[in-house]
Amino acid sequence: MSGMLSKKFVVAGRSVSRATSVNAGLLFGLFGMILMCYSFPVGPGSYANLRHLTIIIISSYIGWLPALICSVLLSISRVLFYGVAYASISASISLLIIGFCCCYISVLPWSRLRKVMVSNLISMGISFVTLSSNLRSVGRVMEFFPLQLGITLAAGLAVYYIAEYIQRSNELYAQLEHRATTDYLTNLNNLRQFHRHMDTEMARAERRGDSLSMLAIDIDHFKVINDTYGHPAGDAVLKQLARRLCNHSRSYDIVSRNGGEEFTILLPDCPLQQALRAGERIRAAVENDRFQLPLGIKVHLTVSVGVASYPENIQDADGNLLCQYADKALYAAKNSGRNKVCSADFHGEC
């Protein structure tokens, strides 16, 4: 259920933030509380259910911290739900012990299936000891425990396969979303994602009264590279240029490949003069660098840059209009000799 609620959230086998771990622990603790509502009595103050499976799953898929949080929540809720009594306290302590065991198993270099099955067996062993202590009769526990053990192991296996299915589905979903928003060659934003960012940043600039600038960047004489050295060489140049654009941009600038040899950079909270300096910094960095081709040949390149800003060049908060003026500035840079940075005004002049 949690996987279905967060299709973009793939965590198994990955390092997750502390906030994510805490939230996951709280969520699965809530699931465990829900499972308590389906308990069945096996003796005075003693109940059997599948609540420990939430600890097992969260420890196997995310790690020790959410498992610990989940076990603490279940331990506290066990006393709150059924009152302060010997059976409740012993069951609460057993949940904490299960949590610590699952935390330890979660860091072992085992497969998730092995972690789930071993954790389940250990948890049932701890539950058997707890029930025997509460009921003060091993024979009485054995009247129902074999059936509970079989159901629990089967449920754990079923939950594992369901979790694996959800995990793989979420991974595929994340891959498809990445491919839909990312340029396959450079790993920059593609044209569709560029327009999404443009709409978001333009709305934010209008709301806050900030500036928003755009750099339209085009490689000069790129066709010569493809014609002379082949398309693999052209692809290598595009990849290297993408890295250089990211390296010479601020961490929150938005770099995209809009198609072919055309790139754009959105500069939030950046007025026109500052954007011109940024464009010149990029132009100079490309001109002074050398690009490595697949055959070991190094070549020099230049780029032309067009700059447009809101509200200096356009007064309406219109992303399409900002793109048009950046393109006009780029054409002006091309027509005036290339390897230049030009700014747009209402006539598209440098």
Side-chain angles (χ1 to χ4, degrees), residues 136-152:
R136 294 179 173 83
S137 172
V138 174
R140 193 171 176 183
V141 174
M142 291 304 296
E143 292 176 0
F144 64 86
F145 190 79
L147 178 61
Q148 182 188 3
L149 177 63
I151 293 174
T152 301

Side-chain angles (χ1 to χ4, degrees), residues 44-45 47 75-92:
Y47 300 86
S75 177
I76 295 172
S77 62
R78 177 61 174 84
V79 176
L80 293 178
F81 285 1
Y82 297 104
V84 179
Y86 175 79
S88 294
I89 294 174
S90 62
S92 178

Side-chain angles (χ1 to χ4, degrees), residues 245-266:
L245 294 180
C246 292
N247 291 338
H248 288 87
S249 300
R250 300 173 300 180
S251 59
Y252 53 89
D253 290 339
I254 300 165
V255 186
S256 307
R257 181 189 176 201
N258 288 35
E261 66 271 26
E262 299 177 5
F263 296 81
T264 58
I265 304 177
L266 289 177

Side-chain angles (χ1 to χ4, degrees), residues 4 16 37 56 74 78 85 93 134 157 173 180 218-219 225 233 244 261 315 328:
M4 293 298 188
V16 297
C37 297
I56 293 171
L74 293 181
R78 177 61 174 84
I93 293 173
N134 290 344
L157 198 58
Y173 182 89
D218 189 87
I219 302 175
I225 297 292
R244 285 160 176 75
E261 66 271 26
Q315 281 67 53
K328 289 181 180 178

